[in-house]
């Protein structure tokens, strides 16, 4: 698997369960050793010293359950090289920002799963990292927390921090990420912007012809009917198929209220990759 994450970039790392996302992240962090290859930052192999500048959020929460929130975050910040005073200031800033300031003196195990996730993100950010690696950071969060976390990640990227995160919430990945990599069986099979990934996808049309009978598009050359949604019909065109012939056929049935190309979502693109794997 070969890929890069650029400075100031939000990189979405997606794939089916067991595809190799978490393993890759653990290798980058030094939790696991690779059989071959290397991980580099700014052209140099990553070392123990480099890793002090990485903010890591594991999928399985890595917090001490009986330790108080502020005490734990301060401890983790100091492990990354911060002084006591700076660590405490940073803990105050991030717990306030992430909505858990009132829980600083609570044990982690007494927090809801969503608040534990917020504290886990604070742990990844508290030492002002120069790289962020986040494994399923949006898991278990309510919509407000998702918005806060999304804004934080965008701000860190705007500061020049490379941010890589995995998620099964592909709508979020599509909305947030500058580039997306789809992993299958331990290999990067698709990589690019969402628009890049869409460029090779089949053209889809949404046609709203209220007077059209069922089956009006069944015999059109190079056209596949994907489904009917009330008075609307969703079609897929083979390469070279003429969408103007589709429009003419729809007009022959009566008025056409909508005739629009529809771009496939990241979820649909991902599903296509998985389908190719099964085939």
């Amino acid at each position: 698997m070969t890929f890069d994450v650029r400075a100031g970039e939000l990189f979405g790392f997606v794939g089916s369960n067991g595809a190799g996302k978490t393993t890759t992240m653990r290798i980058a962090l030094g939790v696991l050793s690779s059989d071959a290859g290397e991980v580099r930052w700014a052209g140099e192999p990553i070392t123990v010293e480099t890793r002090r500048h990485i903010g890591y959020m594991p999928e399985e929460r890595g917090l001490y359950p009986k330790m108080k929130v502020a005490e734990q975050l301060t401890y983790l910040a100091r492990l990354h090289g911060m002084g006591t005073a700076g660590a405490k200031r940073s803990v105050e800033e991030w717990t306030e920002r992430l909505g858990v300031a009132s829980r600083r003196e609570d044990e982690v195990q007494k927090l809801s799963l969503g608040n534990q996730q917020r504290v886990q993100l604070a742990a990844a950010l508290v030492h002002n990292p120069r790289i962020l690696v986040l494994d399923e950071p949006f898991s278990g969060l309510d919509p407000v927390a998702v918005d806060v976390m999304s804004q934080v990640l965008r701000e860190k990227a705007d500061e020049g921090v490379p941010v890589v995160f995995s998620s099964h919430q592909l709508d979020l990945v599509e909305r947030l990420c500058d580039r997306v990599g789809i992993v299958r069986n331990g290999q990067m099979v698709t990589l690019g912007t969402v628009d890049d990934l869409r460029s090779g996808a089949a053209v889809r049309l949404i046609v709203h012809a209220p007077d059209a009978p069922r089956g009006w598009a069944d015999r059109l050359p190079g056209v596949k009917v994907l489904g009917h949604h009330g008075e609307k019909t969703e079609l897929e065109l083979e390469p070279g198929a003429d969408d103007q012939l589709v429009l003419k056929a729809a007009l022959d049935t009566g008025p056409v209220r909508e005739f629009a190309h529809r771009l496939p979502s990241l979820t649909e693109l991902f599903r296509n990759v998985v389908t190719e794997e099964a085939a």
Side-chain angles (χ1 to χ4, degrees):
M1 186 189 302
T2 300
F3 68 102
D4 67 323
V5 182
R6 302 162 186 168
E9 178 178 62
L10 277 169
F11 185 93
F13 201 42
V14 303
S16 301
N17 293 328
K21 304 183 300 298
T22 296
T23 298
T24 302
M25 290 182 172
R26 288 175 175 171
I27 288 173
L29 268 294
V31 179
L32 295 176
S33 297
S34 61
D35 297 308
E38 58 187 353
V39 182
R40 291 176 169 266
W41 179 36
E44 299 296 329
I46 285 185
T47 63
V48 172
E49 177 58 30
T50 305
R51 290 190 176 103
R52 296 180 73 177
H53 301 291
I54 300 177
Y56 176 49
M57 184 175 179
E59 182 179 9
E60 301 87 6
R61 293 176 182 85
L63 302 171
Y64 298 109
K66 294 184 178 180
M67 206 169 178
K68 293 180 180 179
V69 170
E71 179 186 8
Q72 180 158 189
L73 292 175
T74 302
Y75 170 67
L76 293 173
R78 295 196 64 198
L79 281 182
H80 280 87
M82 295 186 78
T84 302
K88 289 183 176 178
R89 283 195 301 271
S90 187
V91 168
E92 291 176 1
E93 173 189 346
W94 282 111
T95 52
E96 188 74 41
R97 180 74 189 278
L98 295 172
V100 286
S102 62
R103 313 305 297 270
R104 288 176 189 149
E105 298 306 312
D106 291 348
E107 294 179 357
V108 171
Q109 65 183 355
K110 294 181 179 178
L111 304 182
S112 67
L113 293 179
N115 279 338
Q116 287 184 33
Q117 191 81 334
R118 294 178 192 226
V119 175
Q120 188 78 69
L121 180 62
L125 293 164
V126 70
H127 58 287
N128 193 28
R130 286 188 260 174
I131 307 170
L132 274 174
V133 180
L134 312 172
D135 200 352
E136 293 288 345
F138 296 98
S139 177
L141 294 182
D142 61 66
V144 173
V146 167
D147 289 343
V148 171
M149 187 175 291
S150 300
Q151 185 178 3
V152 167
L153 297 187
R154 184 73 265 170
E155 288 175 4
K156 298 307 289 185
D158 289 343
E159 293 170 10
V161 174
V163 180
V164 54
F165 72 90
S166 67
S167 179
H168 290 297
Q169 295 166 263
L170 298 184
D171 57 327
L172 280 171
V173 175
E174 181 174 357
R175 176 162 57 90
L176 290 175
C177 290
D178 302 301
R179 287 192 304 149
V180 177
I182 300 180
V183 183
R184 186 179 71 203
N185 291 335
Q187 295 183 332
M188 185 72 73
V189 293
T190 306
L191 176 64
T193 66
V194 175
D195 286 342
D196 289 339
L197 304 188
R198 284 172 173 153
S199 63
V203 174
R204 293 190 176 185
L205 292 173
I206 299 294
V207 182
H208 181 194
D211 297 337
R214 281 288 177 111
W216 68 272
D218 288 349
R219 298 181 182 277
L220 295 175
V223 176
K224 178 182 178 181
V225 178
L226 298 180
H228 300 279
H229 313 284
E231 295 179 342
K232 296 184 179 181
T233 303
E234 184 174 2
L235 308 172
E236 183 175 281
L237 304 189
E238 295 177 359
D242 189 351
D243 60 358
Q244 295 306 300
L245 289 179
V246 178
L247 176 58
K248 182 178 183 303
L251 286 168
D252 286 344
T253 70
V256 174
R257 307 297 186 199
E258 180 183 358
F259 185 82
H261 284 229
R262 189 179 75 78
L263 296 174
S265 67
L266 181 58
T267 300
E268 290 168 324
L269 295 171
F270 175 78
R271 190 178 293 119
N272 290 340
V273 170
V274 173
T275 302
E276 289 171 8
E277 176 184 15

